[in-house]
Amino acid sequence: MTKRKLTIEDLSKLVSVTQPTLAPNQQEAVFVQTKINDKDNTYQANLWHVDLNTMKLTQWTHGKEKISSPSYSLDGTQLAFLSTREEKNQLYILSTKGGEARKVTSYEKGVSSFLWSPCGKKIWFLASVKEGKNFTDEPEKEEKKNPEPYVVNKMKYKLDGAGLLPQGTYKHIGVIDLETEEVTQFTQGNHVYDLQAISHNGEKMVFSVNRSENQDFEFRQSLFLVDIKSKEEKTIIEEDGYFGGVAFSFDDTKLAFVGSDSAFKNATHTELYVYDLETGARQILTEGIDAPVGDYVVADSQQGADAPSVVWTQDNHIYFQLSTMGDVRLYVATLEGEMYPATGDNEHIYGYDVAKSGEFALVTVSNSTEIGELYVQTIATGERQALTSFNESFEHEVELVQPEAIMFQGAKDWAVHGWLMKPAGYVEGQKYPLIVEIHGGPHAMFANTFFHELQLLAAQGYGVLYINPRGSHGYSQQFVDAVRGDYGGGDYEDIMAAVDSVLADNDWIDENRLGVTGGSYGGFMTNWIVGHSNRFKAAVTQRSISNWVSFFGVSDIGYYFNEWQIGADMTDVEKLWNHSPLKYAQHIETPLLILHSEKDFRCPIEQAEQLYITLKQMKKETGFVRFPDADHNLSRTGHPNLRYARLEQITGWFKKYL
């Protein structure tokens, strides 16, 4: 059977399987299935149930909303989840025997997260509270108000995806009695809390909070162990960096959590920590592994992938994800510090849960040509059985290209890793254009995972080269840190060396038809490349940085990101300008298409406007497309119609010039 080529619209045929959650009886589980709803131009995520003995699948919810965070009560009779059924994420309870879900919260800003109390009669939750108010206060009636000024008095006042942050509003922890629906607020004050974990005996809680008055130059969220009855607090960790994902061991004597200190700012590897409640001793179990704990993959197909940071088994083994050499693998650690991979290579484990006995795990798995399904895996043997096959017919119908892993010498003779895809329908002896894709971050990574955009370019007759240059995660601490202070240096050399390497080894590539594209840091690097080399015949820059001087003041992270990454602030404008692609605009001869979201607060659209007007004024070949009602995450979670339009712009530009 001749397979058809992948299309832009096929994005709507991809089914995302995420958040596998085992029931307490270990005989059944639930997961979330997400699809694009073209009719409403939205995503719909519904709850599915699987019987692990019969493998029977049952869809439990059928709405157009997005459901997330499914969690069983300890006795397995109830399932709680968050749903956008009424716009904001609210908490719902569903009997596992069937029936309609019951809504148990109605907060103006919704509920951020929740945890069951072990008794099954209460649920702890996290939600926003206005200053001077309480969870129990009646919500104010919504009245049409005249526009009011927004008084800015701190530097962290806006956030990509959220816009201007609500003033005088704080995140607090509350508890709701499911029988009486009575709510009690547990935390107080003008602070932002995060609910982390509840002990199995229901007596202890872990939350994170930073109680400093001015947090503009503070990058920490300390972890505290709290006695629920007395509210007495004990510090678990209080230092610069980010720590969370806490889980109690089954006997409540230890905590596991993940975190990274500030040694290399946001390039620091995340580690797995264990804290002994009795002695207060803290150890890093992953100290001997030179790779980061967690999932750092950039892709565009897994919607709502939200894996636990750690999962304990009853025999005190701890499971976690590790990003290494383009894989995300499930690893297991013992308290003695032994470390083993529980899954194989060449794949992306983007969700998991582990049986209490440690005998088996549920894993959601993707690779370069498989979109992602749910499997049950026997830990001892590695044997797997598929529980879902939502994408199977699509994968049989469409020609998908298997990338070839490559390794080459980059700057300073460091080994650099990546992949090369031949065009779909490749014919020996023919010449093909090549497009270089550059990921964002820069502390993220391309991986052995399904990426619709890369497959689309291959389907349109292009070879595709994508690598993890220095600065990427999944490799050593030295490697991920090497980009800081050197943007446009060794990273640029790595990418150009990759092009030289594949040209030398693959005579099917037409060296006169090379294209380059990337977003965020990848957009910065696209801008940098065309300002320093004329070997590319077409380029598309997306959500990019063009001017570090203005980025400092307009980005939601600029005032500290510049210093962390470029090594300069406004006292060293010359260094910021030297690393700015805009400085080299006069050298750009490559036709450059500029794509940018209007609500991007991470790399604000003025970065694109400056570049476009400068190039136009210099009579350069350029185009500019603005995406309304879209933020920095347009390519991953933006409105479906805008995602299609973005891909049309990219492929249209390359078709015109390559």
Side-chain angles (χ1 to χ4, degrees), residues 370-382:
E370 293 177 358
I371 295 149
E373 302 289 356
L374 176 63
Y375 297 83
V376 59
Q377 176 175 323
T378 305
I379 298 292
T381 63

Side-chain angles (χ1 to χ4, degrees), residues 230-523:
S230 69
K231 291 200 177 181
E232 191 182 324
E233 294 179 12
K234 188 178 180 183
T235 306
I236 296 166
I237 192 163
E238 191 167 20
E239 58 186 64
D240 286 348
Y242 297 94
F243 305 93
V246 183
F248 281 86
S249 60
F250 276 91
D251 61 7
D252 285 335
T253 64
K254 291 178 176 61
L255 296 171
F257 60 94
V258 301
S260 56
D261 62 30
S262 62
F264 302 94
K265 302 303 183 190
N266 61 326
T268 311
H269 275 173
T270 299
E271 307 276 13
L272 171 63
Y273 290 76
V274 169
Y275 175 86
D276 189 302
L277 271 70
E278 200 176 311
T279 65
R282 197 172 71 218
Q283 64 178 128
I284 301 174
L285 290 186
T286 48
E287 221 163 5
I289 295 183
D290 199 4
V293 171
D295 181 350
Y296 293 92
V297 171
V298 288
D300 59 4
S301 304
Q302 285 108 31
Q303 294 294 329
D306 185 17
S309 297
V310 294
V311 171
W312 286 90
T313 57
Q314 283 171 327
D315 60 356
N316 281 342
H317 285 66
I318 306 166
Y319 285 79
F320 59 97
Q321 292 163 300
L322 190 82
S323 290
T324 172
M325 285 292 291
D327 292 331
V328 178
R329 302 174 75 173
L330 188 62
Y331 260 70
V332 57
T334 69
L335 294 176
E336 292 72 44
E338 294 169 302
M339 216 71 55
Y340 308 100
T343 60
D345 50 14
N346 296 320
E347 62 184 19
H348 177 198
I349 305 291
Y350 62 89
Y352 72 99
D353 199 3
V354 183
K356 289 183 276 196
S357 64
E359 288 174 26
F360 69 92
L362 296 183
V363 285
T364 49
V365 188
S366 175
N367 62 38
S368 303
T369 56
E370 293 177 358
I371 295 149
E373 302 289 356
L374 176 63
Y375 297 83
V376 59
Q377 176 175 323
T378 305
I379 298 292
T381 63
E383 281 180 75
R384 274 185 195 160
Q385 192 164 1
L387 297 174
T388 66
S389 55
F390 295 119
N391 295 295
E392 192 175 39
S393 60
F394 174 81
E395 289 163 1
H396 284 312
E397 173 195 335
V398 176
E399 182 181 355
L400 299 173
V401 177
Q402 179 67 52
E404 171 201 347
I406 60 169
M407 192 77 87
F408 59 93
Q409 298 301 112
K412 298 180 182 173
D413 284 334
W414 286 9
V416 182
H417 174 226
W419 296 264
L420 178 65
M421 294 170 78
K422 286 179 176 168
Y426 169 82
V427 177
E428 194 79 40
Q430 284 194 19
K431 288 274 192 182
Y432 295 91
L434 178 77
I435 293 172
V436 179
E437 278 263 6
I438 308 167
H439 67 64
H443 311 309
M445 68 179 200
F446 281 130
N448 292 302
T449 195
F450 189 83
F451 207 142
H452 172 267
E453 182 179 325
L454 303 184
Q455 290 286 349
L456 175 68
L457 292 173
Q460 300 226 342
Y462 303 104
V464 186
L465 172 64
Y466 55 109
I467 71 159
N468 286 328
R470 65 201 57 216
S472 303
H473 260 312
Y475 307 91
S476 71
Q477 180 65 78
Q478 183 188 20
F479 190 88
V480 72
D481 187 54
V483 73
R484 295 199 310 128
D486 190 38
Y487 273 49
D491 49 355
Y492 168 69
E493 289 179 54
D494 285 349
I495 293 162
M496 301 308 269
V499 175
D500 292 337
S501 176
V502 297
L503 283 174
D505 295 341
N506 298 274
D507 57 9
W508 57 266
I509 300 171
D510 185 345
E511 64 179 332
N512 296 311
R513 287 192 292 160
L514 301 178
V516 61
T517 185
S520 195
Y521 163 80

Side-chain angles (χ1 to χ4, degrees), residues 31-67:
F31 61 90
V32 176
Q33 183 219 59
T34 308
K35 295 189 286 192
I36 285 175
N37 179 343
D38 276 329
K39 191 179 169 192
D40 296 328
N41 197 33
T42 57
Y43 302 86
Q44 61 184 53
N46 279 295
L47 200 59
W48 283 67
H49 175 270
V50 57
D51 184 310
L52 298 178
N53 294 315
T54 64
M55 307 293 177
K56 185 186 174 192
L57 294 174
T58 311
Q59 188 170 345
W60 271 10
T61 67
H62 294 79
K64 290 181 179 178
E65 76 269 26
K66 285 170 93 170
I67 279 172

Side-chain angles (χ1 to χ4, degrees), residues 19 22-23 58 68 84 117 215 292 301 313 377 381 475 494 549 568 635:
Q19 301 175 56
L22 276 163
T58 311
S68 61
T84 59
S117 172
Q215 296 179 25
S301 304
T313 57
Q377 176 175 323
T381 63
Y475 307 91
D494 285 349
V549 180
S635 64

